[in-house]
């Protein structure tokens, strides 16, 4: 029996496990290679057992949430998918403690129902709380850093508690990327339910008006640079509609690359490089991708 087959058999005794998974069925951009194995543990005990099997087999793995911020190629190891399956929410006064697979928008709605303010701007960001805290996701001037008081994650086999400052949050950055985020605690404030709801609806409507939500994408392609809003520059320089293969710069928002016609990972990567080269040549800065590109082959 091959080592991958042995790992598959062991993992399938622990939790939902599939092999040769077409990842495009899960990614928000509807692009993706094949994962040799994908597991979906639904509690802490299963997560620990899964990691134990993977570590003993010395096989590579990646933890993913709702795959709304990734461009992922074929993956030879194990994709651990933490979305919906690990999503309990507990409320203690103005604190909300959430399992990392919970959708961020669901937490925002629960906060609103309990008249807790602080998450309004984040309502509508697709993806899980785990993905959001790793990415320090944000919108409309706020981000996870402003509302997360602590994170519990597995690091080097140990369950570890990180305070807000220990997460090293910065613009679309944290030091949680190489850890396995399990739980996130939000510290919110008492507010007015109607006002919270109204604000959420306003932010959602701005989102709908400015983003190509009807097309598959991974959100903003590039991080903005202070004083250089990349989407605006690409728009002014005529890149809306520019395409490589099936990947195309959105005609609605130039920082979004949409999957217009069966785009491949290579199409998106080539389009990203084309846009990066333009910004570098014209503005003398290299824009960094906000999207996480996960490639195992041809790296
Ligand atoms: C239409 C659209 C609009 C968007 N708007 C915004 C926006 O306004 N603001 C914004 O910041 N982003 C936005 N995004 C990007 C994306 O939704 C966010 O980054 C989101 O927080 C990612 O969550 P996810 O669960 O999908 O993470 P994934 O895409 O699955 O993963 C993202 C990263 O987090 C890591 N990760 C995920 N879960 C865990 C975990 N439990 N433990 C350790 N690592 C983990 C992955 O390894 C990966 O590196 C948008 C995306 C789309 C498609």
């Amino acid at each position: 029996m091959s080592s991958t087959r042995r790992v598959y058999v062991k993992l399938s005794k622990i939790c939902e496990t599939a092999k040769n998974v077409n990842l495009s069925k899960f990614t928000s951009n509807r692009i993706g290679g094949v994962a040799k194995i994908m597991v979906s543990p639904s509690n802490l005990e299963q997560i620990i057992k899964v990691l134990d099997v993977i570590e003993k087999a010395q096989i590579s793995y990646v933890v993913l949430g709702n795959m709304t911020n990734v461009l992922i190629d074929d993956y030879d190891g194990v994709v651990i998918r933490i979305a919906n399956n690990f999503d309990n929410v507990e409320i203690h006064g103005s604190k909300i403690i959430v399992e990392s697979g919970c959708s961020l928008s669901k937490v925002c709605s629960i906060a609103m129902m309990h008249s807790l303010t602080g998450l309004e701007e984040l309502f509508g960001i697709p993806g899980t709380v785990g993905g959001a805290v790793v990415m320090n996701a944000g919108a409309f001037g706020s981000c996870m850093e402003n509302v997360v008081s602590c994170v519990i994650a597995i690091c080097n086999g140990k369950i570890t508690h990180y305070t807000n400052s220990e997460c090293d949050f910065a613009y679309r950055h944290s030091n949680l990327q190489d850890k396995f985020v399990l739980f996130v605690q939000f510290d919110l404030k008492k507010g007015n339910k109607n006002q919270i709801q109204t604000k959420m609806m306003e932010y959602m409507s701005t989102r709908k008006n400015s983003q190509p939500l009807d097309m598959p994408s991974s959100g903003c392609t590039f991080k903005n640079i202070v004083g250089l809003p990349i989407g605006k520059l690409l728009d002014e320089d005529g890149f809306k509609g520019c395409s490589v293969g099936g990947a195309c710069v959105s005609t609605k928002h130039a920082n979004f690359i949409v999957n217009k016609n069966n785009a491949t990972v290579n199409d998106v990567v080539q389009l990203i490089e084309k846009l990066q080269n333009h910004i570098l040549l014209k503005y003398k800065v290299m824009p960094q991708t906000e999207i996480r590109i996960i490639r195992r082959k041809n790296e």
Side-chain angles (χ1 to χ4, degrees), residues 28 62-70 82 100 124-132 134-139 172 176-177 179-182 207 211 213 217-220 256 290 292 294:
S28 61
V62 60
V63 189
L64 294 176
N66 218 24
M67 305 190 208
T68 63
N69 204 45
V70 288
I82 302 290
S100 58
I125 297 180
T128 63
V129 166
V134 168
M135 297 302 303
N136 191 16
R172 302 294 174 269
L176 300 163
Q177 179 64 60
K179 305 174 176 63
F180 193 135
V181 175
L182 299 169
R207 217 169 247 288
Q211 297 182 355
L213 301 185
S217 81
S218 311
C220 282
F256 276 61
E290 184 171 324
R292 294 283 159 96
I294 303 170

mmCIF file of all heavy atoms in Angstrom, residues 28 62-70 82 100 124-132 134-139 172 176-177 179-182 207 211 213 217-220 256 290 292 294, ligand 1:
data_model
loop_
_atom_site.group_PDB
_atom_site.id
_atom_site.type_symbol
_atom_site.label_atom_id
_atom_site.label_comp_id
_atom_site.label_asym_id
_atom_site.label_seq_id
_atom_site.Cartn_x
_atom_site.Cartn_y
_atom_site.Cartn_z
ATOM 1 N N SER A 28 -13.838 30.013 -3.956
ATOM 2 C CA SER A 28 -14.780 31.060 -4.394
ATOM 3 C C SER A 28 -14.496 31.499 -5.829
ATOM 4 O O SER A 28 -15.371 32.035 -6.496
ATOM 5 C CB SER A 28 -14.719 32.266 -3.458
ATOM 6 O OG SER A 28 -13.425 32.820 -3.476
ATOM 7 N N VAL A 62 -2.112 21.662 4.497
ATOM 8 C CA VAL A 62 -2.460 23.082 4.566
ATOM 9 C C VAL A 62 -3.843 23.169 5.204
ATOM 10 O O VAL A 62 -4.713 22.340 4.929
ATOM 11 C CB VAL A 62 -2.413 23.757 3.160
ATOM 12 C CG1 VAL A 62 -3.378 23.120 2.170
ATOM 13 C CG2 VAL A 62 -2.698 25.246 3.243
ATOM 14 N N VAL A 63 -4.006 24.169 6.089
ATOM 15 C CA VAL A 63 -5.308 24.384 6.717
ATOM 16 C C VAL A 63 -6.032 25.449 5.906
ATOM 17 O O VAL A 63 -5.490 26.540 5.683
ATOM 18 C CB VAL A 63 -5.164 24.898 8.174
ATOM 19 C CG1 VAL A 63 -6.530 24.908 8.864
ATOM 20 C CG2 VAL A 63 -4.171 24.068 8.950
ATOM 21 N N LEU A 64 -7.239 25.141 5.465
ATOM 22 C CA LEU A 64 -8.012 26.120 4.711
ATOM 23 C C LEU A 64 -9.395 26.279 5.336
ATOM 24 O O LEU A 64 -9.905 25.368 6.003
ATOM 25 C CB LEU A 64 -8.152 25.696 3.244
ATOM 26 C CG LEU A 64 -6.851 25.675 2.434
ATOM 27 C CD1 LEU A 64 -7.101 25.161 1.036
ATOM 28 C CD2 LEU A 64 -6.216 27.062 2.369
ATOM 29 N N GLY A 65 -9.977 27.445 5.100
ATOM 30 C CA GLY A 65 -11.321 27.698 5.577
ATOM 31 C C GLY A 65 -12.291 27.560 4.422
ATOM 32 O O GLY A 65 -12.422 26.486 3.822
ATOM 33 N N ASN A 66 -12.903 28.688 4.058
ATOM 34 C CA ASN A 66 -13.898 28.636 2.982
ATOM 35 C C ASN A 66 -13.281 28.870 1.604
ATOM 36 O O ASN A 66 -13.996 29.009 0.618
ATOM 37 C CB ASN A 66 -14.989 29.667 3.266
ATOM 38 C CG ASN A 66 -16.341 29.142 2.883
ATOM 39 O OD1 ASN A 66 -16.551 27.941 2.827
ATOM 40 N ND2 ASN A 66 -17.260 30.045 2.589
ATOM 41 N N MET A 67 -11.975 28.977 1.562
ATOM 42 C CA MET A 67 -11.212 29.117 0.300
ATOM 43 C C MET A 67 -11.656 30.326 -0.517
ATOM 44 O O MET A 67 -11.779 30.245 -1.742
ATOM 45 C CB MET A 67 -11.286 27.827 -0.522
ATOM 46 C CG MET A 67 -10.835 26.605 0.250
ATOM 47 S SD MET A 67 -10.640 25.158 -0.798
ATOM 48 C CE MET A 67 -10.949 23.839 0.367
ATOM 49 N N THR A 68 -11.897 31.444 0.162
ATOM 50 C CA THR A 68 -12.300 32.661 -0.551
ATOM 51 C C THR A 68 -11.126 33.592 -0.807
ATOM 52 O O THR A 68 -11.293 34.671 -1.373
ATOM 53 C CB THR A 68 -13.384 33.442 0.228
ATOM 54 O OG1 THR A 68 -12.834 33.871 1.475
ATOM 55 C CG2 THR A 68 -14.612 32.597 0.487
ATOM 56 N N ASN A 69 -9.944 33.192 -0.330
ATOM 57 C CA ASN A 69 -8.788 34.072 -0.510
ATOM 58 C C ASN A 69 -7.591 33.312 -1.050
ATOM 59 O O ASN A 69 -6.459 33.741 -0.869
ATOM 60 C CB ASN A 69 -8.434 34.712 0.841
ATOM 61 C CG ASN A 69 -7.690 36.004 0.674
ATOM 62 O OD1 ASN A 69 -8.069 36.826 -0.145
ATOM 63 N ND2 ASN A 69 -6.615 36.177 1.416
ATOM 64 N N VAL A 70 -7.851 32.176 -1.705
ATOM 65 C CA VAL A 70 -6.729 31.363 -2.168
ATOM 66 C C VAL A 70 -6.824 31.045 -3.656
ATOM 67 O O VAL A 70 -7.910 30.927 -4.219
ATOM 68 C CB VAL A 70 -6.621 30.026 -1.371
ATOM 69 C CG1 VAL A 70 -6.130 30.255 0.039
ATOM 70 C CG2 VAL A 70 -7.909 29.238 -1.381
ATOM 71 N N ILE A 82 -11.526 23.541 7.277
ATOM 72 C CA ILE A 82 -12.242 23.900 8.507
ATOM 73 C C ILE A 82 -13.281 24.949 8.126
ATOM 74 O O ILE A 82 -13.007 26.153 8.159
ATOM 75 C CB ILE A 82 -11.259 24.477 9.566
ATOM 76 C CG1 ILE A 82 -10.151 23.467 9.896
ATOM 77 C CG2 ILE A 82 -11.987 24.876 10.842
ATOM 78 C CD1 ILE A 82 -10.610 22.253 10.684
ATOM 79 N N SER A 100 -13.103 28.113 14.737
ATOM 80 C CA SER A 100 -12.545 28.802 13.566
ATOM 81 C C SER A 100 -13.268 28.541 12.249
ATOM 82 O O SER A 100 -13.110 29.296 11.293
ATOM 83 C CB SER A 100 -11.065 28.464 13.419
ATOM 84 O OG SER A 100 -10.904 27.068 13.306
ATOM 85 N N GLY A 124 -20.290 40.666 5.677
ATOM 86 C CA GLY A 124 -20.234 40.539 4.209
ATOM 87 C C GLY A 124 -18.895 40.066 3.698
ATOM 88 O O GLY A 124 -18.777 39.695 2.526
ATOM 89 N N ILE A 125 -17.855 40.062 4.564
ATOM 90 C CA ILE A 125 -16.582 39.480 4.101
ATOM 91 C C ILE A 125 -16.794 37.967 4.080
ATOM 92 O O ILE A 125 -17.116 37.370 5.105
ATOM 93 C CB ILE A 125 -15.412 39.834 5.058
ATOM 94 C CG1 ILE A 125 -15.183 41.345 5.092
ATOM 95 C CG2 ILE A 125 -14.138 39.094 4.640
ATOM 96 C CD1 ILE A 125 -14.056 41.796 6.017
ATOM 97 N N PRO A 126 -16.665 37.346 2.908
ATOM 98 C CA PRO A 126 -16.926 35.908 2.878
ATOM 99 C C PRO A 126 -15.810 35.140 3.593
ATOM 100 O O PRO A 126 -14.717 35.681 3.782
ATOM 101 C CB PRO A 126 -16.957 35.581 1.384
ATOM 102 C CG PRO A 126 -16.249 36.683 0.709
ATOM 103 C CD PRO A 126 -16.262 37.882 1.604
ATOM 104 N N GLY A 127 -16.085 33.941 3.983
ATOM 105 C CA GLY A 127 -15.033 33.128 4.593
ATOM 106 C C GLY A 127 -15.260 32.892 6.066
ATOM 107 O O GLY A 127 -16.216 33.385 6.660
ATOM 108 N N THR A 128 -14.334 32.135 6.631
ATOM 109 C CA THR A 128 -14.458 31.714 8.026
ATOM 110 C C THR A 128 -13.748 32.692 8.958
ATOM 111 O O THR A 128 -12.920 33.502 8.525
ATOM 112 C CB THR A 128 -13.806 30.331 8.215
ATOM 113 O OG1 THR A 128 -12.398 30.461 7.912
ATOM 114 C CG2 THR A 128 -14.422 29.273 7.310
ATOM 115 N N VAL A 129 -14.037 32.525 10.242
ATOM 116 C CA VAL A 129 -13.361 33.330 11.253
ATOM 117 C C VAL A 129 -11.865 32.987 11.287
ATOM 118 O O VAL A 129 -11.016 33.861 11.451
ATOM 119 C CB VAL A 129 -14.032 33.089 12.627
ATOM 120 C CG1 VAL A 129 -13.178 33.607 13.756
ATOM 121 C CG2 VAL A 129 -15.406 33.737 12.642
ATOM 122 N N GLY A 130 -11.540 31.707 11.075
ATOM 123 C CA GLY A 130 -10.134 31.288 11.054
ATOM 124 C C GLY A 130 -9.380 31.992 9.931
ATOM 125 O O GLY A 130 -8.317 32.590 10.146
ATOM 126 N N GLY A 131 -9.946 31.948 8.725
ATOM 127 C CA GLY A 131 -9.307 32.619 7.584
ATOM 128 C C GLY A 131 -9.212 34.115 7.829
ATOM 129 O O GLY A 131 -8.198 34.752 7.522
ATOM 130 N N ALA A 132 -10.261 34.685 8.423
ATOM 131 C CA ALA A 132 -10.290 36.137 8.635
ATOM 132 C C ALA A 132 -9.230 36.578 9.639
ATOM 133 O O ALA A 132 -8.579 37.605 9.455
ATOM 134 C CB ALA A 132 -11.681 36.560 9.115
ATOM 135 N N VAL A 134 -6.407 34.963 10.391
ATOM 136 C CA VAL A 134 -5.081 34.756 9.795
ATOM 137 C C VAL A 134 -4.755 35.912 8.839
ATOM 138 O O VAL A 134 -3.652 36.443 8.832
ATOM 139 C CB VAL A 134 -5.025 33.393 9.048
ATOM 140 C CG1 VAL A 134 -3.773 33.287 8.191
ATOM 141 C CG2 VAL A 134 -5.087 32.245 10.041
ATOM 142 N N MET A 135 -5.751 36.304 8.039
ATOM 143 C CA MET A 135 -5.543 37.358 7.036
ATOM 144 C C MET A 135 -5.668 38.760 7.631
ATOM 145 O O MET A 135 -5.461 39.741 6.942
ATOM 146 C CB MET A 135 -6.601 37.241 5.919
ATOM 147 C CG MET A 135 -6.559 35.971 5.106
ATOM 148 S SD MET A 135 -4.969 35.701 4.314
ATOM 149 C CE MET A 135 -4.796 37.187 3.359
ATOM 150 N N ASN A 136 -6.095 38.853 8.898
ATOM 151 C CA ASN A 136 -6.493 40.150 9.469
ATOM 152 C C ASN A 136 -7.416 40.869 8.477
ATOM 153 O O ASN A 136 -7.196 42.019 8.089
ATOM 154 C CB ASN A 136 -5.286 41.026 9.832
ATOM 155 C CG ASN A 136 -5.701 42.238 10.653
ATOM 156 O OD1 ASN A 136 -6.801 42.299 11.203
ATOM 157 N ND2 ASN A 136 -4.813 43.220 10.722
ATOM 158 N N ALA A 137 -8.458 40.135 8.087
ATOM 159 C CA ALA A 137 -9.403 40.667 7.090
ATOM 160 C C ALA A 137 -10.048 41.944 7.605
ATOM 161 O O ALA A 137 -10.219 42.134 8.820
ATOM 162 C CB ALA A 137 -10.486 39.617 6.818
ATOM 163 N N GLY A 138 -10.392 42.804 6.684
ATOM 164 C CA GLY A 138 -10.993 44.064 7.102
ATOM 165 C C GLY A 138 -11.683 44.775 5.957
ATOM 166 O O GLY A 138 -11.564 44.379 4.796
ATOM 167 N N ALA A 139 -12.443 45.789 6.330
ATOM 168 C CA ALA A 139 -13.148 46.597 5.327
ATOM 169 C C ALA A 139 -13.633 47.874 5.992
ATOM 170 O O ALA A 139 -13.820 47.905 7.213
ATOM 171 C CB ALA A 139 -14.340 45.819 4.771
ATOM 172 N N ARG A 172 -3.611 43.157 6.506
ATOM 173 C CA ARG A 172 -3.794 41.822 5.903
ATOM 174 C C ARG A 172 -2.652 40.871 6.271
ATOM 175 O O ARG A 172 -2.192 40.059 5.467
ATOM 176 C CB ARG A 172 -3.901 41.911 4.365
ATOM 177 C CG ARG A 172 -5.020 42.779 3.880
ATOM 178 C CD ARG A 172 -6.404 42.259 4.215
ATOM 179 N NE ARG A 172 -7.385 43.239 3.833
ATOM 180 C CZ ARG A 172 -7.850 44.202 4.657
ATOM 181 N NH1 ARG A 172 -7.440 44.276 5.922
ATOM 182 N NH2 ARG A 172 -8.726 45.082 4.234
ATOM 183 N N LEU A 176 -0.233 34.167 12.374
ATOM 184 C CA LEU A 176 -0.965 32.913 12.620
ATOM 185 C C LEU A 176 -0.922 31.972 11.421
ATOM 186 O O LEU A 176 -1.428 30.854 11.484
ATOM 187 C CB LEU A 176 -2.428 33.236 12.962
ATOM 188 C CG LEU A 176 -2.610 34.124 14.204
ATOM 189 C CD1 LEU A 176 -4.009 34.725 14.241
ATOM 190 C CD2 LEU A 176 -2.324 33.334 15.465
ATOM 191 N N GLN A 177 -0.349 32.438 10.320
ATOM 192 C CA GLN A 177 -0.362 31.674 9.067
ATOM 193 C C GLN A 177 0.194 30.263 9.224
ATOM 194 O O GLN A 177 -0.343 29.318 8.680
ATOM 195 C CB GLN A 177 0.428 32.444 8.002
ATOM 196 C CG GLN A 177 0.525 31.755 6.659
ATOM 197 C CD GLN A 177 -0.837 31.579 5.981
ATOM 198 O OE1 GLN A 177 -1.516 32.539 5.720
ATOM 199 N NE2 GLN A 177 -1.229 30.339 5.721
ATOM 200 N N LYS A 179 0.235 28.507 11.874
ATOM 201 C CA LYS A 179 -0.374 27.813 13.020
ATOM 202 C C LYS A 179 -1.721 27.258 12.592
ATOM 203 O O LYS A 179 -2.162 27.497 11.471
ATOM 204 C CB LYS A 179 -0.516 28.796 14.176
ATOM 205 C CG LYS A 179 0.825 29.445 14.534
ATOM 206 C CD LYS A 179 0.719 30.518 15.555
ATOM 207 C CE LYS A 179 2.080 31.055 15.944
ATOM 208 N NZ LYS A 179 2.831 31.696 14.868
ATOM 209 N N PHE A 180 -2.375 26.532 13.496
ATOM 210 C CA PHE A 180 -3.693 25.985 13.201
ATOM 211 C C PHE A 180 -4.663 26.691 14.132
ATOM 212 O O PHE A 180 -4.710 26.377 15.323
ATOM 213 C CB PHE A 180 -3.670 24.474 13.441
ATOM 214 C CG PHE A 180 -4.855 23.733 12.889
ATOM 215 C CD1 PHE A 180 -4.667 22.548 12.187
ATOM 216 C CD2 PHE A 180 -6.157 24.183 13.076
ATOM 217 C CE1 PHE A 180 -5.746 21.837 11.672
ATOM 218 C CE2 PHE A 180 -7.240 23.496 12.565
ATOM 219 C CZ PHE A 180 -7.037 22.322 11.870
ATOM 220 N N VAL A 181 -5.405 27.650 13.598
ATOM 221 C CA VAL A 181 -6.308 28.433 14.441
ATOM 222 C C VAL A 181 -7.524 27.593 14.822
ATOM 223 O O VAL A 181 -8.190 27.013 13.953
ATOM 224 C CB VAL A 181 -6.752 29.732 13.726
ATOM 225 C CG1 VAL A 181 -7.777 30.481 14.567
ATOM 226 C CG2 VAL A 181 -5.552 30.615 13.440
ATOM 227 N N LEU A 182 -7.794 27.547 16.120
ATOM 228 C CA LEU A 182 -8.917 26.739 16.628
ATOM 229 C C LEU A 182 -10.078 27.622 17.073
ATOM 230 O O LEU A 182 -11.213 27.423 16.667
ATOM 231 C CB LEU A 182 -8.447 25.900 17.821
ATOM 232 C CG LEU A 182 -7.333 24.883 17.560
ATOM 233 C CD1 LEU A 182 -6.811 24.330 18.889
ATOM 234 C CD2 LEU A 182 -7.851 23.745 16.689
ATOM 235 N N ARG A 207 -20.799 47.225 -0.729
ATOM 236 C CA ARG A 207 -20.082 46.075 -1.269
ATOM 237 C C ARG A 207 -20.705 45.623 -2.604
ATOM 238 O O ARG A 207 -20.011 45.427 -3.595
ATOM 239 C CB ARG A 207 -20.264 44.946 -0.245
ATOM 240 C CG ARG A 207 -19.139 44.063 -0.014
ATOM 241 C CD ARG A 207 -19.394 43.204 1.200
ATOM 242 N NE ARG A 207 -18.472 43.569 2.235
ATOM 243 C CZ ARG A 207 -17.185 43.286 2.207
ATOM 244 N NH1 ARG A 207 -16.674 42.609 1.213
ATOM 245 N NH2 ARG A 207 -16.394 43.684 3.167
ATOM 246 N N GLN A 211 -18.362 45.800 -5.860
ATOM 247 C CA GLN A 211 -17.605 44.567 -6.118
ATOM 248 C C GLN A 211 -18.367 43.638 -7.085
ATOM 249 O O GLN A 211 -19.598 43.603 -7.067
ATOM 250 C CB GLN A 211 -17.368 43.807 -4.801
ATOM 251 C CG GLN A 211 -16.533 44.580 -3.798
ATOM 252 C CD GLN A 211 -16.281 43.782 -2.505
ATOM 253 O OE1 GLN A 211 -16.806 42.693 -2.309
ATOM 254 N NE2 GLN A 211 -15.465 44.347 -1.644
ATOM 255 N N LEU A 213 -19.767 40.802 -7.274
ATOM 256 C CA LEU A 213 -20.180 39.650 -6.466
ATOM 257 C C LEU A 213 -20.898 38.572 -7.286
ATOM 258 O O LEU A 213 -21.095 37.465 -6.811
ATOM 259 C CB LEU A 213 -21.072 40.104 -5.296
ATOM 260 C CG LEU A 213 -20.428 41.107 -4.326
ATOM 261 C CD1 LEU A 213 -21.347 41.400 -3.152
ATOM 262 C CD2 LEU A 213 -19.080 40.605 -3.823
ATOM 263 N N SER A 217 -14.494 34.971 -7.818
ATOM 264 C CA SER A 217 -13.219 35.681 -7.602
ATOM 265 C C SER A 217 -12.662 35.303 -6.234
ATOM 266 O O SER A 217 -13.288 34.542 -5.494
ATOM 267 C CB SER A 217 -13.442 37.194 -7.650
ATOM 268 O OG SER A 217 -13.939 37.668 -6.395
ATOM 269 N N SER A 218 -11.508 35.876 -5.909
ATOM 270 C CA SER A 218 -10.935 35.679 -4.568
ATOM 271 C C SER A 218 -10.847 37.017 -3.849
ATOM 272 O O SER A 218 -9.961 37.222 -3.018
ATOM 273 C CB SER A 218 -9.534 35.074 -4.664
ATOM 274 O OG SER A 218 -9.528 33.976 -5.509
ATOM 275 N N GLY A 219 -11.685 37.940 -4.194
ATOM 276 C CA GLY A 219 -11.630 39.265 -3.557
ATOM 277 C C GLY A 219 -10.503 40.096 -4.151
ATOM 278 O O GLY A 219 -10.093 39.877 -5.308
ATOM 279 N N CYS A 220 -9.977 41.037 -3.363
ATOM 280 C CA CYS A 220 -8.919 41.912 -3.895
ATOM 281 C C CYS A 220 -7.659 41.117 -4.175
ATOM 282 O O CYS A 220 -7.212 40.331 -3.341
ATOM 283 C CB CYS A 220 -8.618 43.031 -2.891
ATOM 284 S SG CYS A 220 -9.860 44.307 -2.962
ATOM 285 N N PHE A 256 -10.054 43.311 -8.595
ATOM 286 C CA PHE A 256 -10.599 41.949 -8.585
ATOM 287 C C PHE A 256 -10.262 41.271 -9.912
ATOM 288 O O PHE A 256 -10.482 41.849 -10.978
ATOM 289 C CB PHE A 256 -12.127 41.964 -8.468
ATOM 290 C CG PHE A 256 -12.661 42.085 -7.055
ATOM 291 C CD1 PHE A 256 -12.373 43.191 -6.273
ATOM 292 C CD2 PHE A 256 -13.474 41.102 -6.524
ATOM 293 C CE1 PHE A 256 -12.882 43.316 -4.982
ATOM 294 C CE2 PHE A 256 -13.982 41.214 -5.239
ATOM 295 C CZ PHE A 256 -13.687 42.319 -4.463
ATOM 296 N N GLU A 290 -2.654 40.001 -2.163
ATOM 297 C CA GLU A 290 -3.431 39.744 -0.940
ATOM 298 C C GLU A 290 -3.896 38.275 -0.973
ATOM 299 O O GLU A 290 -3.946 37.597 0.040
ATOM 300 C CB GLU A 290 -4.633 40.699 -0.911
ATOM 301 C CG GLU A 290 -5.452 40.585 0.358
ATOM 302 C CD GLU A 290 -6.506 41.690 0.456
ATOM 303 O OE1 GLU A 290 -6.251 42.838 0.029
ATOM 304 O OE2 GLU A 290 -7.586 41.390 0.973
ATOM 305 N N ARG A 292 -3.716 34.404 -1.303
ATOM 306 C CA ARG A 292 -2.670 33.423 -0.989
ATOM 307 C C ARG A 292 -2.557 32.428 -2.144
ATOM 308 O O ARG A 292 -3.529 31.742 -2.464
ATOM 309 C CB ARG A 292 -2.998 32.675 0.305
ATOM 310 C CG ARG A 292 -2.989 33.545 1.547
ATOM 311 C CD ARG A 292 -1.549 33.815 1.965
ATOM 312 N NE ARG A 292 -1.423 34.987 2.811
ATOM 313 C CZ ARG A 292 -1.392 34.972 4.138
ATOM 314 N NH1 ARG A 292 -1.499 33.838 4.777
ATOM 315 N NH2 ARG A 292 -1.242 36.075 4.827
ATOM 316 N N ILE A 294 -1.127 29.072 -3.519
ATOM 317 C CA ILE A 294 -0.575 27.827 -2.978
ATOM 318 C C ILE A 294 -0.274 26.913 -4.155
ATOM 319 O O ILE A 294 -1.175 26.391 -4.808
ATOM 320 C CB ILE A 294 -1.584 27.168 -2.007
ATOM 321 C CG1 ILE A 294 -1.936 28.150 -0.883
ATOM 322 C CG2 ILE A 294 -1.019 25.855 -1.441
ATOM 323 C CD1 ILE A 294 -3.084 27.711 -0.001
HETATM 324 C C1 LIG B 1 -16.186 38.589 -3.144
HETATM 325 C C2 LIG B 1 -15.102 38.659 -2.096
HETATM 326 C C3 LIG B 1 -15.013 39.780 -1.295
HETATM 327 C C4 LIG B 1 -14.001 39.862 -0.316
HETATM 328 N N1 LIG B 1 -13.938 40.977 0.464
HETATM 329 C C5 LIG B 1 -12.963 41.063 1.389
HETATM 330 C C6 LIG B 1 -12.869 42.240 2.202
HETATM 331 O O1 LIG B 1 -13.661 43.156 2.145
HETATM 332 N N2 LIG B 1 -11.845 42.288 3.107
HETATM 333 C C7 LIG B 1 -10.940 41.266 3.255
HETATM 334 O O2 LIG B 1 -10.028 41.377 4.095
HETATM 335 N N3 LIG B 1 -11.011 40.151 2.490
HETATM 336 C C8 LIG B 1 -11.999 40.025 1.577
HETATM 337 N N4 LIG B 1 -12.076 38.899 0.800
HETATM 338 C C9 LIG B 1 -11.060 37.846 0.953
HETATM 339 C C10 LIG B 1 -11.476 36.706 1.933
HETATM 340 O O3 LIG B 1 -12.876 36.585 1.971
HETATM 341 C C11 LIG B 1 -10.961 36.923 3.344
HETATM 342 O O4 LIG B 1 -9.576 36.987 3.377
HETATM 343 C C12 LIG B 1 -11.432 35.800 4.286
HETATM 344 O O5 LIG B 1 -11.227 36.207 5.595
HETATM 345 C C13 LIG B 1 -10.734 34.457 4.037
HETATM 346 O O6 LIG B 1 -11.406 33.459 4.808
HETATM 347 P P1 LIG B 1 -11.451 31.943 4.303
HETATM 348 O O7 LIG B 1 -12.081 31.119 5.360
HETATM 349 O O8 LIG B 1 -12.077 31.853 2.975
HETATM 350 O O9 LIG B 1 -9.898 31.629 4.222
HETATM 351 P P2 LIG B 1 -9.134 30.757 3.108
HETATM 352 O O10 LIG B 1 -9.212 31.466 1.806
HETATM 353 O O11 LIG B 1 -9.582 29.351 3.158
HETATM 354 O O12 LIG B 1 -7.642 30.853 3.669
HETATM 355 C C14 LIG B 1 -6.976 32.091 3.708
HETATM 356 C C15 LIG B 1 -5.652 31.911 4.453
HETATM 357 O O13 LIG B 1 -5.928 31.617 5.825
HETATM 358 C C16 LIG B 1 -5.366 30.351 6.203
HETATM 359 N N5 LIG B 1 -6.348 29.703 7.100
HETATM 360 C C17 LIG B 1 -7.692 29.584 6.936
HETATM 361 N N6 LIG B 1 -8.253 29.009 8.016
HETATM 362 C C18 LIG B 1 -7.239 28.741 8.883
HETATM 363 C C19 LIG B 1 -7.176 28.156 10.201
HETATM 364 N N7 LIG B 1 -8.269 27.703 10.860
HETATM 365 N N8 LIG B 1 -5.956 28.047 10.786
HETATM 366 C C20 LIG B 1 -4.833 28.491 10.159
HETATM 367 N N9 LIG B 1 -4.834 29.046 8.921
HETATM 368 C C21 LIG B 1 -6.027 29.176 8.298
HETATM 369 C C22 LIG B 1 -5.135 29.583 4.900
HETATM 370 O O14 LIG B 1 -4.056 28.686 5.014
HETATM 371 C C23 LIG B 1 -4.832 30.733 3.924
HETATM 372 O O15 LIG B 1 -3.494 31.101 3.978
HETATM 373 C C24 LIG B 1 -13.080 38.796 -0.159
HETATM 374 C C25 LIG B 1 -13.202 37.659 -0.975
HETATM 375 C C26 LIG B 1 -14.205 37.588 -1.929
HETATM 376 C C27 LIG B 1 -14.324 36.351 -2.777
#
